[in-house]
Amino acid sequence: PLETMAKSLYAEATCPVCLDLFTNPFTLFCGHTFCAKCIQTWASERQSSKLICPLCRAATEKPPVEEWQMRKLTLLLKQHGPLLQLMLHVSPELQRIWEDMSLDAATASSLLVVSKDLRSVQHAKSHQDMKEDPRRFTHLACVLGAPSFSTGQHYWEVDVGEVREWSLGVCKESVDRRQRDLSPEHGFWIIRMKAGAISANFTPESRIPASPRLERVGIFLDVELEEIRFYDVGNNALIYRYIPVSSLEPFRPFFLLDQTGEGDGGVLRICPCKGSGLSDTPVEWEGEPQ
């Protein structure tokens, strides 16, 4: 939706003659808008007593009208467009704040198995008998990541692979580990993949069709700007943006594997940050082999 809106704004502010953002835009009687220089050049080449629209060919003797609203929009796009484009795509700047992240096994539900390197998680074949721990999720197949974030900008990527149904994002450090309502009101800011579509915080109204090639999700958190963005890394596109994301306590990366009833549902894997020296070696699991 945000990317569609950005494309629509750029299309609205683009001159159909020079195909660039408007410079000194004027609107003709027919309603079409052009750069002042473009329409002057067009008119001088035709040497007609009437002004003919380059698009619809409507002729008029009325002079063009200066388009102040379009001038303001064009100015905003010229000033902030690079920032908007940066926000819509996985930029090199994000690579520089890539976090070396791991899974916090102490928070993992007994429904899950965490790999020995603390970077991968999947469903356990059977319910595991674990010690009671207030940090552990009890009702949903969730696990938190480490470290926590109280300030600054942070980025990480998750390989969702063959997992059909998952949820990713951040939550407050103090969230109730028995909670089933994963909404901002309870300290969760997540996106959820289910039935081939993505939704925000389990809200059906916010469903976003997902790319069938979605294999890796990038997550960007800016604590000071109270913002979190989710990217389809393979398609270099923004999926969803939350703002404001406000908390007086640290944020924790959040991972959930939904029960699909069809096998173990695949593996979620935290991607190693570039230059870390970590390779895609075979995953070794704690406990029984999966």
Side-chain angles (χ1 to χ4, degrees):
L2 190 58
E3 185 164 13
T4 301
M5 181 183 72
K7 289 179 178 177
S8 177
L9 288 174
Y10 269 94
E12 187 75 14
T14 297
C15 174
V17 173
C18 66
L19 302 180
D20 201 352
L21 290 177
F22 286 120
T23 300
N24 194 16
F26 276 75
T27 298
L28 304 188
F29 180 73
C30 59
H32 292 124
T33 304
F34 308 90
C35 299
K37 187 175 181 180
C38 291
I39 197 62
Q40 287 170 0
T41 302
W42 168 269
S44 64
E45 290 175 350
R46 272 133 196 90
Q47 299 180 345
S48 171
S49 60
K50 293 185 178 181
L51 182 58
I52 301 173
C53 175
L55 283 183
C56 66
R57 298 298 193 270
T60 181
E61 294 181 349
K62 293 186 177 181
V65 177
E66 193 161 7
E67 185 57 73
W68 290 103
Q69 292 300 323
M70 187 59 69
R71 181 193 289 267
K72 291 179 182 178
L73 173 60
T74 305
L75 182 61
L76 285 172
L77 288 175
K78 287 180 177 179
Q79 290 178 335
H80 304 293
L83 180 61
L84 180 60
Q85 292 300 325
L86 191 67
M87 185 177 69
L88 293 174
H89 302 286
V90 183
S91 66
E93 283 76 7
L94 295 180
Q95 310 293 326
R96 292 198 284 268
I97 56 172
W98 195 320
E99 292 291 338
D100 185 14
M101 186 179 294
S102 61
L103 297 169
D104 182 357
T107 67
S109 162
S110 60
L111 301 170
L112 298 174
V113 177
V114 176
S115 64
K116 290 184 178 181
D117 67 358
L118 301 178
R119 305 188 76 87
S120 301
V121 62
Q122 68 176 5
H123 280 290
K125 288 184 176 178
S126 58
H127 185 84
Q128 302 174 94
D129 188 15
M130 294 181 169
K131 277 186 182 180
E132 285 193 17
D133 190 323
R135 296 172 295 176
R136 192 179 305 284
F137 285 89
T138 57
H139 291 76
L140 297 175
C142 309
V143 62
L144 299 183
S148 59
F149 306 122
S150 300
T151 186
Q153 296 178 325
H154 311 275
Y155 179 75
W156 62 99
E157 293 184 359
V158 181
D159 187 345
V160 298
E162 300 298 320
V163 183
R164 295 184 182 89
E165 299 184 1
W166 46 260
S167 298
L168 298 170
V170 299
C171 67
K172 292 182 180 180
E173 177 81 65
S174 67
V175 291
D176 185 351
R177 306 303 204 257
R178 299 163 298 174
Q179 183 60 252
R180 293 181 182 271
D181 181 357
L182 307 182
S183 64
E185 290 74 21
H186 292 96
F188 297 86
W189 292 269
I190 63 172
I191 59 171
R192 181 192 193 193
M193 166 68 84
K194 186 175 179 66
I198 291 175
S199 60
N201 284 317
F202 286 56
T203 307
E205 293 80 8
S206 65
R207 285 168 64 88
I208 308 162
S211 166
R213 299 184 301 278
L214 178 59
E215 296 180 352
R216 182 175 291 199
V217 176
I219 302 169
F220 168 75
L221 171 67
D222 190 320
V223 178
E224 277 73 29
L225 289 184
E226 301 184 346
E227 174 188 26
I228 181 170
R229 300 181 221 147
F230 298 88
Y231 292 95
D232 177 345
V233 176
N235 290 301
N236 192 26
L238 181 71
I239 298 174
Y240 195 80
R241 175 177 180 245
Y242 278 109
I243 190 168
V245 179
S246 180
S247 174
L248 297 177
E249 59 187 88
F251 292 100
R252 296 287 299 272
F254 177 85
F255 308 81
L256 178 148
L257 283 85
D258 281 357
Q259 292 279 15
T260 62
E262 300 177 10
D264 61 12
V267 176
L268 285 181
R269 184 178 69 89
I270 298 173
C271 302
C273 56
K274 293 180 179 179
S276 66
L278 297 174
S279 59
D280 296 333
T281 55
V283 178
E284 296 183 20
W285 299 96
E286 296 286 356
E288 58 176 318
Q290 298 298 302

